[in-house]
Amino acid sequence: MNNKSNKYNSRTDLGLPEDVFIYCCFNSNYKITETIFNSWAAILRRTNDSALWLFLDDAEAKKNIYTKLDLHGISSSRVIFADKLNYSDHLSRLRFANLFLDTYPFNAGTTCTDSLWSGVPVLTLRGKSFCGKMSESILSFISLPELIASSLGEYEDIAVKLYEDKIYYQ
């Protein structure tokens, strides 16, 4: 059974730039810690033609993201906020991302499987608790250990390598 809609046919339909590498995270807002956001900012600084696509439905959280971007010297135009959609439309839009950046220490669960099912690889950081090992478990089960980082530095390096090396990405 296919739960994906056919509502979106291009990045333009979603307000996304066509010619950049799209990092995304659709995890719940509370999972975006300062530590993981700082890591995302470091990734954006190292990858000029990239953007970060986030699902945030809270005005204060969006304001905080813009403030943090400014502190890191990153243009607010490099972050795109996704709207809340019904599930089938959400699955349809996911395919337009290049890489799902998982949160830490609270990983994706369902969001990880949704991304993978939509053909979008997930990069995660090895956690220490059940809620920090969900994506690691899923990626291990499908034999993708190269997408499980052991440190923030390695997480950033893998994200940049996937951006830079098209053959490795494939």
Side-chain angles (χ1 to χ4, degrees):
M1 183 163 97
N2 185 352
N3 291 330
K4 293 182 195 176
S5 77
N6 293 317
K7 184 173 182 177
Y8 303 108
N9 297 306
S10 71
R11 285 181 169 187
T12 306
D13 292 343
L14 293 156
L16 297 171
E18 291 285 345
D19 57 346
V20 302
F21 192 94
I22 302 286
Y23 294 104
C24 78
C25 184
F26 288 94
N27 287 353
S28 299
N29 301 354
Y30 71 87
K31 292 183 178 184
I32 302 173
T33 63
E34 186 167 358
T35 299
I36 201 66
F37 188 82
N38 288 341
S39 187
W40 293 349
I43 292 165
L44 289 174
R45 279 194 307 276
R46 292 173 62 188
T47 57
N48 293 327
D49 293 324
S50 68
L52 181 59
W53 189 22
L54 300 174
F55 171 69
L56 292 178
D57 59 354
D58 179 75
E60 190 68 25
K62 288 178 183 179
K63 182 179 155 192
N64 289 339
I65 293 291
Y66 286 137
T67 299
K68 292 290 183 186
L69 286 171
D70 190 48
L71 290 173
H72 285 282
I74 298 169
S75 170
S76 62
S77 67
R78 301 219 20 226
V79 170
I80 300 127
F81 294 112
D83 295 326
K84 185 173 182 144
L85 299 176
N86 67 52
Y87 187 63
S88 63
D89 288 342
H90 168 66
L91 290 177
S92 174
R93 75 175 163 192
L94 270 172
R95 71 179 186 257
F96 295 105
N98 294 102
L99 180 64
F100 184 99
L101 295 175
D102 200 8
T103 49
Y104 177 85
F106 310 105
N107 286 172
T110 302
T111 312
C112 176
T113 57
D114 288 347
S115 254
L116 293 167
W117 190 65
S118 296
V120 178
V122 174
L123 175 60
T124 194
L125 187 59
R126 183 168 279 117
K128 296 177 180 157
S129 65
F130 171 76
C131 57
K133 291 184 171 286
M134 290 185 289
S135 294
E136 176 186 352
S137 177
I138 294 164
L139 291 168
S140 293
F141 181 77
I142 62 172
S143 300
L144 287 172
E146 63 271 19
L147 294 175
I148 304 166
S150 296
S151 68
L152 281 171
E154 184 181 17
Y155 176 89
E156 293 166 19
D157 289 344
I158 294 169
V160 172
K161 182 176 182 175
L162 289 164
Y163 162 85
E164 292 176 337
D165 188 335
K166 306 301 182 226
I167 293 170
Y168 181 73
Y169 178 83
Q170 292 303 320

